[in-house]
Amino acid sequence: MSTNPTTTEAPAPAVDPRLLVREAGFAGYVGEFKRKIKSGDLGSVPVVLGLILIGAIFQSLTGDFLNADNLTNITKWVAGPGLIAVGIVFVLLLGEIDLSLGSVAGVSAAIASVLSVRSGLNEWLAILIAIGAALAIGALHGFFFAKIGVPAFVVTLAGLLAWSGLQMYVLGDKGTVNVINDGVIANLDTYFLGDGDIAFTWAFAILGIVLFGAGQLLDSKRRSAAGLSARPMSEIGLRTGVIAVIALVSAYMLNQDRGLPLPLVIFLGIVVITDFVLRRTSYGRQIFAVGGGIEAARRAGINVAWVRISVFMISAGMAALGGLFIASQQGSADKLLGSGNVLMNSIAAAVIGGTSLFGGRGKTWSALLGILVIQSIITGLDLVHVNQAIQYMITGAVLLGAVVLDSVSRRTQKSSGRG
Amino acid sequence: MSTNPTTTEAPAPAVDPRLLVREAGFAGYVGEFKRKIKSGDLGSVPVVLGLILIGAIFQSLTGDFLNADNLTNITKWVAGPGLIAVGIVFVLLLGEIDLSLGSVAGVSAAIASVLSVRSGLNEWLAILIAIGAALAIGALHGFFFAKIGVPAFVVTLAGLLAWSGLQMYVLGDKGTVNVINDGVIANLDTYFLGDGDIAFTWAFAILGIVLFGAGQLLDSKRRSAAGLSARPMSEIGLRTGVIAVIALVSAYMLNQDRGLPLPLVIFLGIVVITDFVLRRTSYGRQIFAVGGGIEAARRAGINVAWVRISVFMISAGMAALGGLFIASQQGSADKLLGSGNVLMNSIAAAVIGGTSLFGGRGKTWSALLGILVIQSIITGLDLVHVNQAIQYMITGAVLLGAVVLDSVSRRTQKSSGRG
Amino acid sequence: MKEMVHVTGAPVLALRGVSKRFGAVQALTDVHLEVHAGEVVALVGDNGAGKSTLVKTIAGVHPIDEGSIEWDGTQVGINRPHDAQALGVATVYQDLALCDNLDVVGNLFLGRELRRFGTLDEVAMEKRAKELLDTLSIRIPSVRIPIAALSGGQRQVVAIARALVGDPKIVILDEPTAALGVEQTAQVLDLVERLRDRGLGVILISHNMADVKAVADTVAVLRLGRNNGVFEVASTSHEEIISAITGATENAVTRRQARIAEEAK
Amino acid sequence: MKEMVHVTGAPVLALRGVSKRFGAVQALTDVHLEVHAGEVVALVGDNGAGKSTLVKTIAGVHPIDEGSIEWDGTQVGINRPHDAQALGVATVYQDLALCDNLDVVGNLFLGRELRRFGTLDEVAMEKRAKELLDTLSIRIPSVRIPIAALSGGQRQVVAIARALVGDPKIVILDEPTAALGVEQTAQVLDLVERLRDRGLGVILISHNMADVKAVADTVAVLRLGRNNGVFEVASTSHEEIISAITGATENAVTRRQARIAEEAK
Amino acid sequence: ACGKAGSDKKNSADSGDTKSIGLLLPENASSTRYESFDKPFIEAKVKALCPDCNVKYSNAEGSASKQKQQFDTLIAQGVKVIILDAFDAKSTQAWVKEAADKGVKVIAYDRLATGPVSAYVSFDNEKVGELQGQALVDALGAKAAESNIVMINGDDADPNAGKFKSGAHKVLDGKVKKVVYEQSGEWKPTVAGQKIGAAITQLGKDGFQAVYSANDGMAAAIITQLKAAGINVPVGGQDAGLDAIQRIVSGDQAYTIYKAYKPLADSAAELAVDLLQGKDIKSVASASIDSDTDKGIPAKLLDPKVVTKANIKDTVIADGLYKAADICTADFAAGCAAAGLK
Ligand SMILES: Nc1ncnc2c1ncn2[C@@H]1O[C@H](COP(=O)(O)OP(=O)(O)OP(=O)(O)O)[C@@H](O)[C@H]1O
Ligand SMILES: Nc1ncnc2c1ncn2[C@@H]1O[C@H](COP(=O)(O)OP(=O)(O)OP(=O)(O)O)[C@@H](O)[C@H]1O
Ligand SMILES: O[C@@H]1[C@@H](O)[C@H](O)OC[C@H]1O
Ligand SMILES: [Mg+2]
Ligand SMILES: [Mg+2]
């Protein structure tokens, strides 16, 4: 029962022989993909599949879901809750929650519109003040959480109440304020780049593809130069190809309708920027560290309190932006803006997109994917004429269904991994 | 710089000499208390102080807060959301969340009233069916969470939507159903034991005191008999004394008004029972273990899936009970029962009472303390009669204030402890 | 190197051709292992050799990908920790796996609480806990403080004591003395011998060759996830085992010794 | 027992009368300790003696209750880990304190990331990480897998390598070789010697007397949270240290040895 | 037994509070009317009629259970007269009875609470729906019969919403070609905006000729989405919010329903003060109405009015609800001039 131990090997560690190196070329890509399916390590694929499924179901039910103008509407409406969801991703990365974001969205929209409409302030200035107020609110939450030690849940629950009170107070007796006709806020939702010029859409899509491809190439070059394992060209090509197809098809669809919607551009821009901050800067690394193990982060000399406070400022700032988009979409700021399902939808978006509620795992792209799922369900159901009770039940079922796929694949991953 | 090492001691471990043993008698009790204040290890004391503070403030503002009938009202109104909060404590102990409990409360109340009023079923049977439905709902949530691996947040968010749809559907076009006059559900809120006979109140208070004192005594006896450290008599006396004062004063106040309210008795009874289950049974221990470290619990051979499913059943069952109390209190089951702030208030109650959102730490008594804080704020503000916007802001501030005390003391504890 | 396998009847536990993969890492490849009643098998190997992974497959923490596990000669499926416990496997994990929020008593009896009238018998458990810890000569300020407040060694002893509650047939100890002081280590080695004498099978993982040589009957070496020899302790030298572990006769250990010898001159 | 303290000028770090209490447990009472440049101080003691607690007060994890800390002869306040790092203390904790969700590279450079145009320079960090791990002769499947997927020993090496990023004046190692294989242990001992030769002060906590005797200049013994002697390694026997640790000349270790000797007869 | 609870208490309710009037309003979110109009008007009128009286106000925030607590709290405070705008009129039977047993009088305000209420002041909610329907037909003019209509209703959970809906259907069904899309906007502007988006997708830009919106808040979002899609059809609401009046001025919205809050509030205040002082109320509440539970309730019923560009001056401005200056901010100056508001 004994084997002869090897005694010839050199002591300095070479590449671990147990690491399954993928075959080169396309075959290797396919093999790797198969392995990933088996071990459930599929990243965003299940959510994207869920999205496709939702689209297919609603299209077959209504025949209108894949209309260019419906799709355009969806891309416009994801911006408001989507931006709030981006803020939530940051908070969730810390393993915390921010319940106040709906109210913060509401109070910011109220401040911006009251200042610009009733007090006649310059609209840009009004917007800046509103965002500034939101940042201050976030800093206050962060302070009570990080410095006083009140659980974030309680701080932001108190905020949820207090800021919606403030929102009512700011709007005052006269209530709802219409946003300025054709003003900055009004245009957030309604403007199409170049007033619907299709050139903008194509340019935007191609820019995206080129940046993505170039980034991947450069990275791969640097890694090879440093003697590290790098993505093979075939894979870079394939990935860029997939991105290109998505971008170009989207551009084509948008151009069938009104062109490139401003809210989509801003939302995508913010997702890209925040993703960069999280993955490519020390600050982002610190957020992950605090979320993954606060004690380890503290012992590494990270200023945990500052990370926490700043994250709550970011989430409040994003909520303010989101609130402005919602005001733009409904044409007014009112006492209800930001209440109801807004917060839940945004949190759900982040979670559906794959951000963990327990900290340390997630990305802002999940806000985009998740809110697309949710907004597709909402819009799809709007096209189906059933009564409100049934609609609620279906929404619940579809929401669950969209995540089951993802969970099943993750479960495989879990059972084949540690823990 | 070297000291002479001791070389005489026996190797078998005796009591650790570094453990600071408390002085005997009353002086020791005071010393221990001082030490606890210093290290922030105060248990429920800060929350109770917060409660007293809230009472004092509202009494001085309105002059009506400490009226016997206002206090009686508060004790009646805590039952509904309080029972939901008890369910939430169970879920929080696992480190999870259940967003559906408001809807579950609503749908259960709807089922019970529709069956008993519109279908003319026996009211007890209707209640049993409603609770059974809630347990089934909880099992379904648990199944998707524990077996399929969908995050509890998403499962119960889907539930929140689906069950409130079901609630509307069950109530149908006719909407609101009034509960049967003087029926079982109606009495849940309005009945006073012995129809207001003061003997019941006194008996209940004395029973509580005796059970508490006897329990402490017996426990201490058994421990001494087994040679383990036991609570000294002086401390047992002091603790029982404090409980006695609280119980007798409450009884006196209640007897100034309508006597012993049924909802208070049921709520207290359920808190005591669930506390017993959590602290004195293997099942309760398993819940703590899963919440404290799921992997450790799994490796200890605990059936984690079953613990999770059962906990979601408990929370849904508690929500159903809570829903019946709410229906009783408002005299009807309507489409909005359980919506709005019900869920948030219940979660906040659990957290304010000291149950951790991150699992493994808490008790059902925290539901009682927390809901008393919240209901006192709500009732107090109702007595003050300021406008809504201001009320919201004050509620937020008071809520935060009530927890700051607790957090500050816990923070001391943290900085003087590990981590 | 001699091919000597210690046999006293059929093995209680036998692994046959076990493989286990994590994502892109093949942690175990075709591993064989046998443990007999009354035998102490030391499982040794370099860091990352797959020892803990192997132990976890036996304990039901990770189900195996390929191969089979035999218990008293019949093939069994171990898919969750509960299965292993039901067979009679008690495991002390390298990462301890204790519940930070429970106190020492709670952790010791987790899953096997003592009861009285259906409710937890805290008094009996506390008493038994003290006795157990005393036999391992550890001083813990109080058995009622949460695990989170214990020192590294104190926790390790609690984890070891856990394995003694209940009535196992095989005890697996994954680096049980790593965090222990000299005295506690001696106690654990004594304990291992007592377990063997009571007819239990013991799998002991350790990087300490002195300890291994002191208590083990057989040494199984893992290297890069594969078997790399099984040795009879009595007839194998320290150096033979080390070179099976490192896969080289010349290694950092010998180099260091050579250098020190050099410097001493 | 001789009273010999190794002195090369003023100590870099000196603890004077440090006390620390957790709730009802007095973990440290009036503890003194000095570390000089180019000196390896071994800190030994029974499980729960307070070694890790002492180390954590130096590293700023727990602020001290009483006493003072001197750095290069001037009194300093160390209230958070950042303060200690700023002074030049690098610490390898017994509980490692790594972020499970970050990969090996992320953990190694946490708080001291290499940057390029203001953004993380992943390529440079990955390269450096590989070099660092190579010097500690550990084989890790990939430096891009999360810490949670590593074996016990692999994690420990990552934690040790972490302390070498940056430019410390004092390195504290709390049981650094507990989970390491023979080869890796030898490498870490080599490393300690290299650090000393570079003029750094090293505090090494270990339960392994052989390792202590091999690399330490001075041994400080803690017992039940108090100083229990400081010894010059060269002139102190194994037994003397052990009896200072256990507080008894007769203990489980000697009993075990006696019994084995007996049985051998 | 040893006796009844409360036997020796100096019952605050018995001693009574002869200076306080309770005011319970149902919600504050879906409409601004309650805190902008009802509450201040009632307070002012009470002060005018009885200078040392005060009004104790609470808002139920859309929850029957919360309203019951506020109701009981008023009774605990010793209030003897309560003006109740029930969040859910069906639920109140037991409460009102309980109050009556304690000698507390309840005036049903706006919504007809069940139970033995002392009086009722209101608009007829079904009538509101009918007016909305008629105003939409009027806005369409001659084309009405060939027009397809989109209806965005209120929240199914709100009992009033059903009344508005059925009232509107009563008029629209028959007078217009067809209701081609009908969904609940849940009283939420964003939801309403998205529903109209779906309607546009499904029906096309020319697929409908008018939109019924149950209130102004939802109308704002609907109009924004219609504009963005380049559609210009009549849209109507309810509540006469300032923003709605402005949209009417600018021609974006066709009409709103003005429930003349002032007379409503004044009558309620008069009734309350009379009841408090033990006077007869027949002079104010001269009509009589039956509720689900009680018959012959003394009532005062007011008529809601439709507001269009033509009668802004004679309604909301004449009643002092808004000043021309409130309405005519920079954005709306041109429209105001055209409508003759200055
Ligand atoms: N959950 C997991 N996911 C991915 N890789 C894993 C996982 N668990 C273990 N591994 C890998 O499997 C290999 C074996 O790990 P294992 O913990 O069994 O080693 P070990 O022999 O116990 O080492 P040590 O002596 O350091 O404890 C390691 O390379 C490790 O990286
Ligand atoms: N956060 C804490 N709360 C309460 N007690 C603590 C805490 N941390 C440590 N202790 C206690 O302080 C004592 C010393 O612990 P410490 O971890 O310093 O021991 P150690 O010498 O490092 O032991 P080991 O060799 O086992 O690692 C122990 O009795 C432990 O229970
Ligand atoms: O005035 C309306 C009110 O009656 C209804 O209940 O809620 C919506 C409002 O617009
Ligand atoms: Mg291991
Ligand atoms: Mg230690």
Side-chain angles (χ1 to χ4, degrees), chain B residues 106-134 167 169-172 175-180 185 324 333:
Chain B
V107 79
S108 311
I111 292 175
S113 356
V114 166
L115 286 181
S116 61
V117 176
R118 293 209 191 130
S119 318
L121 217 64
N122 171 294
E123 213 176 353
W124 283 110
L125 191 61
I127 290 176
L128 279 183
I129 293 178
I131 293 179
Q167 176 181 5
Y169 186 81
V170 168
L171 288 169
T176 314
V177 184
N178 286 324
V179 301
I180 297 175
I185 300 179
L324 293 173

Side-chain angles (χ1 to χ4, degrees), chain A residues 9 11 13-17 19 222-223 226 228 276 279-282 285 288-289 292-293 295-302 360 418, chain D residues 56 61 81-82 85 93 95 97-99 101-102 106 110 113 115-116 119-123 126-127 138-139 141 148 150 155 162 183:
Chain A
E9 225 185 32
V15 168
D16 195 313
L19 195 61
R222 268 202 80 210
R223 291 184 62 90
L228 301 174
F276 184 85
R279 292 193 306 115
R280 298 290 176 108
T281 67
S282 296
R285 183 61 48 89
F288 277 97
E295 187 55 23
R298 196 171 79 93
R299 292 195 193 166
I302 291 175
R418 182 171 284 247
Chain D
K56 286 182 184 166
V61 174
H82 185 84
Q85 282 167 22
Y93 297 96
D95 53 1
L98 300 168
C99 286
N101 61 327
L102 297 184
L110 188 58
E113 292 83 5
R115 268 172 282 188
R116 181 167 169 263
T119 65
L120 298 180
D121 188 350
E122 294 286 358
V123 173
E126 187 165 333
K127 236 180 126 181
I138 191 96
R139 208 193 281 273
L150 295 188
R155 285 167 193 236
R162 237 189 90 68
E183 181 158 10

Side-chain angles (χ1 to χ4, degrees), chain E residues 116-273:
Chain E
V117 295
S118 304
Y120 177 49
V121 215
S122 179
F123 301 104
D124 182 343
N125 283 323
E126 180 113 0
K127 179 80 182 288
V128 170
E130 289 170 26
L131 286 179
Q132 288 178 315
Q134 189 57 47
L136 201 60
V137 171
D138 292 347
L140 286 166
K143 309 179 300 191
E146 295 94 65
S147 296
N148 285 329
I149 308 291
V150 170
M151 284 183 79
I152 306 295
N153 297 314
D155 192 343
D156 278 352
D158 174 2
N160 282 4
K163 300 215 172 100
F164 302 143
K165 182 163 129 185
S166 62
H169 268 292
K170 211 187 259 177
V171 175
L172 290 174
D173 298 349
K175 286 199 182 149
V176 297
K177 188 167 161 209
K178 199 177 169 203
V179 174
V180 282
Y181 181 99
E182 178 166 13
Q183 287 275 282
S184 161
E186 302 172 26
W187 290 139
K188 291 176 192 136
T190 354
V191 172
Q194 294 180 5
K195 299 276 176 185
I196 204 69
I200 298 168
T201 297
Q202 225 160 39
L203 307 166
K205 292 190 201 257
D206 308 317
F208 55 95
Q209 283 70 45
V211 180
Y212 164 93
S213 163
N215 78 357
D216 289 338
M218 298 195 298
I222 290 169
I223 290 166
T224 305
Q225 291 304 319
L226 289 175
K227 268 192 177 171
I231 300 173
N232 186 6
V233 298
V235 180
Q238 158 178 222
D239 288 341
L242 178 59
D243 58 309
I245 301 296
Q246 288 176 327
R247 284 191 300 270
I248 291 173
V249 165
S250 63
D252 291 325
Q253 185 170 329
Y255 67 87
T256 184
I257 302 296
Y258 169 45
K259 304 188 240 179
Y261 307 110
K262 187 137 179 29
L264 184 76
D266 286 354
S267 319
E270 274 177 59
L271 284 169
V273 172

Side-chain angles (χ1 to χ4, degrees), chain B residues 159-398:
Chain B
L160 158 68
L161 292 163
W163 313 128
S164 72
L166 185 61
Q167 176 181 5
M168 284 187 196
Y169 186 81
V170 168
L171 288 169
D173 281 347
K174 304 214 192 74
T176 314
V177 184
N178 286 324
V179 301
I180 297 175
N181 258 332
D182 253 336
V184 184
I185 300 179
N187 273 325
L188 284 180
D189 180 65
T190 50
Y191 186 67
F192 287 80
L193 263 65
D195 267 327
D197 191 329
I198 62 169
F200 278 83
T201 321
W202 292 120
F204 189 67
I206 290 168
L207 185 77
I209 300 167
V210 168
L211 282 182
F212 180 84
Q216 297 260 316
L217 259 177
L218 274 178
D219 193 55
S220 164
K221 282 256 165 66
R222 267 202 81 210
R223 292 184 60 91
S224 315
L228 301 174
S229 69
R231 272 213 175 96
M233 286 306 286
S234 63
E235 189 182 335
I236 295 181
L238 194 66
R239 293 167 68 100
T240 311
V242 170
I243 296 288
V245 169
I246 294 176
L248 295 175
V249 169
S250 306
Y252 175 80
M253 289 306 283
L254 290 173
N255 277 343
Q256 291 301 299
D257 189 44
R258 285 154 285 176
L260 185 60
L262 179 63
L264 178 65
V265 175
I266 296 183
F267 181 34
L268 275 178
I270 286 185
V271 168
V272 169
I273 293 171
T274 49
D275 183 60
F276 184 86
V277 169
L278 284 177
R279 291 193 306 117
R280 297 291 175 107
T281 68
S282 295
Y283 175 66
R285 184 61 48 88
Q286 291 179 2
I287 293 177
F288 277 96
V290 172
I294 174 143
E295 187 55 21
R298 195 171 80 94
R299 293 194 193 168
I302 291 175
N303 188 337
V304 173
W306 159 243
V307 170
R308 287 175 157 177
I309 292 174
S310 63
V311 162
F312 277 85
M313 289 175 73
I314 291 175
S315 68
M318 288 290 161
L321 271 184
L324 293 173
F325 275 92
I326 296 175
S328 176
Q329 186 225 316
Q330 70 181 44
S332 64
D334 67 352
K335 292 180 175 176
L336 284 171
L337 194 154
S339 71
N341 293 333
V342 173
L343 178 73
M344 275 304 157
N345 282 347
S346 302
I347 300 180
V351 175
I352 290 171
T355 294
S356 162
L357 284 159
F358 304 104
R361 201 164 55 73
K363 39 181 181 239
T364 51
W365 286 102
S366 64
L368 174 70
L369 282 175
I371 200 68
L372 276 174
V373 168
I374 290 187
Q375 193 60 54
S376 298
I377 298 176
I378 293 177
T379 313
L381 282 173
D382 280 347
L383 289 169
V384 175
H385 305 291
V386 293
N387 87 41
Q388 206 60 32
I390 309 282
Q391 262 196 36
Y392 273 173
M393 292 192 254
I394 299 180
T395 315
V398 178

Side-chain angles (χ1 to χ4, degrees), chain E:
Chain E
C2 330
K4 270 282 179 251
S7 47
D8 62 338
K9 82 169 166 183
K10 39 162 198 38
N11 194 334
S12 52
D14 289 343
S15 62
D17 175 348
T18 53
K19 292 296 168 210
S20 295
I21 291 166
L23 172 60
L24 297 180
L25 298 179
E27 47 126 351
N28 59 340
S30 63
S31 162
T32 53
R33 59 171 278 198
Y34 297 109
E35 292 197 351
S36 308
F37 306 125
D38 298 275
K39 173 177 173 259
F41 286 152
I42 289 175
E43 280 172 346
K45 186 70 178 182
V46 166
K47 266 267 140 24
L49 295 170
C50 167
D52 55 350
C53 287
N54 67 67
V55 173
K56 293 193 185 313
Y57 158 74
S58 292
N59 188 306
E61 295 167 49
S63 157
S65 140
K66 184 144 208 244
Q67 193 163 54
K68 172 63 161 49
Q69 292 183 6
Q70 293 170 338
F71 189 85
D72 287 351
T73 299
L74 284 174
I75 295 175
Q77 274 187 304
V79 170
K80 305 304 287 181
V81 175
I82 297 174
I83 301 173
L84 171 65
D85 188 346
F87 172 68
D88 182 351
K90 271 191 159 181
S91 296
T92 59
Q93 185 183 0
W95 328 353
V96 178
K97 197 171 159 302
E98 231 177 276
D101 292 346
K102 290 188 177 148
V104 177
K105 301 198 170 73
V106 177
I107 300 167
Y109 182 77
D110 197 32
R111 306 177 185 176
L112 183 49
T114 49
V117 295
S118 304
Y120 177 49
V121 215
S122 179
F123 301 104
D124 182 343
N125 283 323
E126 180 113 0
K127 179 80 182 288
V128 170
E130 289 170 26
L131 286 179
Q132 288 178 315
Q134 189 57 47
L136 201 60
V137 171
D138 292 347
L140 286 166
K143 309 179 300 191
E146 295 94 65
S147 296
N148 285 329
I149 308 291
V150 170
M151 284 183 79
I152 306 295
N153 297 314
D155 192 343
D156 278 352
D158 174 2
N160 282 4
K163 300 215 172 100
F164 302 143
K165 182 163 129 185
S166 62
H169 268 292
K170 211 187 259 177
V171 175
L172 290 174
D173 298 349
K175 286 199 182 149
V176 297
K177 188 167 161 209
K178 199 177 169 203
V179 174
V180 282
Y181 181 99
E182 178 166 13
Q183 287 275 282
S184 161
E186 302 172 26
W187 290 139
K188 291 176 192 136
T190 354
V191 172
Q194 294 180 5
K195 299 276 176 185
I196 204 69
I200 298 168
T201 297
Q202 225 160 39
L203 307 166
K205 292 190 201 257
D206 308 317
F208 55 95
Q209 283 70 45
V211 180
Y212 164 93
S213 163
N215 78 357
D216 289 338
M218 298 195 298
I222 290 169
I223 290 166
T224 305
Q225 291 304 319
L226 289 175
K227 268 192 177 171
I231 300 173
N232 186 6
V233 298
V235 180
Q238 158 178 222
D239 288 341
L242 178 59
D243 58 309
I245 301 296
Q246 288 176 327
R247 284 191 300 270
I248 291 173
V249 165
S250 63
D252 291 325
Q253 185 170 329
Y255 67 87
T256 184
I257 302 296
Y258 169 45
K259 304 188 240 179
Y261 307 110
K262 187 137 179 29
L264 184 76
D266 286 354
S267 319
E270 274 177 59
L271 284 169
V273 172
D274 287 352
L275 285 172
L276 196 62
Q277 297 172 348
K279 292 189 197 145
D280 184 57
I281 53 166
K282 276 279 171 306
S283 59
V284 185
S286 47
S288 165
I289 195 170
D290 297 342
S291 73
D292 289 352
T293 58
D294 290 76
K295 292 199 188 319
I297 299 164
K300 171 151 186 168
L301 297 175
L302 297 138
D303 275 333
K305 283 185 204 138
V306 174
V307 180
T308 61
K309 205 183 278 191
N311 66 354
I312 291 176
K313 220 178 186 160
D314 309 330
T315 51
V316 289
I317 294 184
D319 283 3
L321 213 56
Y322 308 116
K323 292 196 259 317
D326 291 337
I327 301 170
C328 302
T329 55
D331 245 14
F332 302 94
C336 276
L341 302 178
K342 250 288 126 182

